[in-house]
Amino acid sequence: MKIGIVCPYSWDVPGGVQFHIRDLAEHLIGLGHEVSVLTPSDDETGLPPYVVSAGRAVPVPYNGSVARLNFGFLSAARVRRWLHDGVFDVVHIHEPTAPSLGLLTCWAAQGPIVATFHTSNPRSRAMLAAYPILQPALEKISARIAVSEYARRTLVEHLGGDAVVIPNGVDVDFFAKADPNPAWSGQTLGFIGRIDEPRKGLPVLMAAFPRIVEQCPDVRLLVAGRGDEEEAVASLPPELRSRVEFLGMVSDEDKARLLRSVDVYVAPNTGGESFGIILVEALSAGAAVLAADLDAFAQVLDQGAAGELFSNEDPDSLAASAIALLRDPARRAELSTRGSAHVRRFDWSTVAADILAVYETVTDGAAAVAEDERIPLRTRLGLSRDT
């Protein structure tokens, strides 16, 4: 099958949607399909051979964050050229309502279109105002996928219609088989995310950290991600700042090793999450997970059976839960065992098969329509030539 996938966000700025698209494309290529991904990217960014650049993106506030998107006449021309050259059996657009390549592709593409909706946010006036512009493009979509029940709910409330829920995928064995780093083990908490993005929740963890240290004197916090490190620890007492080790941006291999090494992985995100791919990665690595009780996180953690939940934006609740886990290796081992079993449902072997089933459904439907259109109208109506 020839598959075109559209990424709305800049390839050179790592994020959950980009990782999802990258892993899906590589899994499909591994299965023998021909895949091309169209994405915004800076000129100097090294791209995999299956990725095509649609040009430089610009930062735009979107869904409580700053997304790097690509829109305009030049981008539209590149979309049309990519579609013309690709001759795809199916085009898979991610976040088609974002002001980026997905919307442009919806307008330009012909044939089967599958759309995946990743976003979960409250009903917005902006979305309602934009609906008349979005509607003609969205009506061309053959099938809709939502990465979680909360993303599906956002879609239904904002745009109407419905979607099949297929979660984000993870290569579970990649994380499960990573080698722990002894330097990152022993009374360690882990955090991975953009340091200077408030909704990722690092300030909540920093507010809880002094109490955690008070009860667990040997604890360290390992932070991986980009952002202002000095500003991140500014709220901590000076004597505690050396307990926080910043690792900067880490490779996929080091991310897996970090998740395999820490005693507790903490996800203090405050909102705007429709899924929580980092939780799935942490579960895959066998980490004991402690997460804010966001609806999406609770779903990923099987309502607390596969990981501990604390009250969102409550440093005291976070601290109490972290202290309890750091002091209880048996509980951490129990969570690791439950999480490792639970996470198999998110493995790419399952997720990609479900996505391929959607592709096959829409392409088979398109082929049936095309065949029907080749049959003369009189024959389709059951009329003889003499009628």
Side-chain angles (χ1 to χ4, degrees):
M1 187 180 293
K2 295 188 69 175
I3 303 164
I5 302 178
V6 181
C7 177
Y9 307 134
S10 189
W11 198 261
D12 47 288
V13 181
V17 174
Q18 295 93 315
F19 289 146
H20 173 92
I21 292 169
R22 178 200 65 188
D23 292 348
L24 172 60
E26 292 179 357
H27 190 86
L28 293 174
I29 290 169
L31 293 175
H33 299 282
E34 186 176 336
V35 180
S36 177
V37 174
L38 182 69
T39 181
S41 71
D42 290 339
D43 295 337
E44 62 272 15
T45 301
L47 298 174
Y50 59 84
V51 175
V52 176
S53 174
R56 185 183 298 272
V58 296
V60 177
Y62 184 72
N63 191 32
S65 180
V66 176
R68 294 178 60 82
L69 306 171
N70 187 305
F71 203 78
F73 293 112
L74 180 58
S75 302
R78 290 177 173 174
V79 166
R80 290 193 296 270
R81 185 187 316 129
W82 177 74
L83 290 169
H84 177 270
D85 294 343
V87 195
F88 302 113
D89 297 311
V90 62
V91 174
H92 187 173
I93 298 170
H94 291 257
E95 298 289 49
T97 61
S100 192
L101 297 176
L103 187 55
L104 294 173
T105 306
C106 264
W107 282 331
Q110 303 296 324
I113 300 173
V114 173
T116 290
F117 295 80
H118 296 260
T119 301
S120 172
N121 54 19
R123 191 172 180 85
S124 69
R125 293 180 181 178
M127 184 69 79
L128 291 173
Y131 182 71
I133 300 173
L134 298 173
Q135 185 179 13
L138 297 178
E139 287 177 349
K140 297 175 68 177
I141 295 171
S142 310
R144 301 177 178 189
I145 297 170
V147 299
S148 70
E149 178 58 32
Y150 306 100
R152 189 195 71 83
R153 186 182 304 166
T154 294
L155 169 64
V156 171
E157 292 177 353
H158 287 175
L159 303 172
D162 209 341
V164 59
V165 176
I166 301 176
N168 286 311
V170 165
D171 183 350
V172 172
D173 286 339
F174 174 79
F175 290 91
K177 296 178 180 179
D179 293 324
N181 183 345
W184 294 339
S185 299
Q187 289 289 284
T188 51
L189 304 174
F191 170 90
I192 299 174
R194 292 185 287 276
I195 293 170
D196 48 9
E197 187 171 331
R199 74 182 181 94
K200 297 301 180 184
L202 186 57
V204 180
L205 178 52
M206 289 298 182
F209 195 59
R211 183 180 168 193
I212 298 172
V213 173
E214 180 182 334
Q215 299 296 317
C216 303
D218 297 327
V219 71
R220 292 180 298 143
L221 171 60
L222 306 176
V223 177
R226 68 174 70 200
D228 189 326
E229 298 173 5
E230 292 186 4
E231 182 179 344
V233 296
S235 63
L236 288 180
E239 65 272 16
L240 295 186
R241 294 175 188 176
S242 62
R243 299 289 193 93
V244 182
E245 182 178 348
F246 291 95
L247 306 177
M249 294 295 296
V250 295
S251 65
D252 289 342
E253 290 75 14
D254 279 340
K255 176 168 70 170
R257 297 188 72 194
L258 176 62
L259 293 172
R260 285 277 290 157
S261 303
V262 296
D263 290 281
V264 180
Y265 180 77
V266 184
N269 308 50
T270 61
E273 306 292 343
S274 64
F275 185 70
I277 192 67
I278 187 61
L279 302 187
V280 179
E281 292 170 342
L283 294 175
S284 299
V289 173
L290 172 61
D293 60 354
L294 304 176
D295 286 346
F297 283 5
Q299 183 179 13
V300 169
L301 296 177
D302 197 18
Q303 305 304 317
E308 295 278 6
L309 298 165
F310 69 89
S311 299
N312 185 28
E313 299 190 68
D314 186 340
D316 290 336
S317 176
L318 191 165
S321 297
I323 292 165
L325 284 173
L326 288 168
R327 288 177 167 178
D328 191 348
R331 174 60 176 161
R332 297 200 305 269
E334 179 186 12
L335 288 176
S336 176
T337 300
R338 289 183 178 181
S340 296
H342 173 68
V343 80
R344 284 290 166 183
R345 70 190 64 189
F346 302 110
D347 190 72
W348 272 117
S349 60
T350 298
V351 173
D354 290 343
I355 293 173
L356 276 170
V358 175
Y359 292 170
E360 291 165 0
T361 298
V362 299
T363 53
D364 288 349
V369 170
E371 179 63 28
D372 189 55
E373 289 176 347
R374 284 195 291 268
I375 299 173
L377 177 61
R378 296 178 62 84
T379 302
R380 277 183 276 154
L381 292 176
L383 301 177
S384 69
R385 291 184 178 274
D386 298 329
T387 303

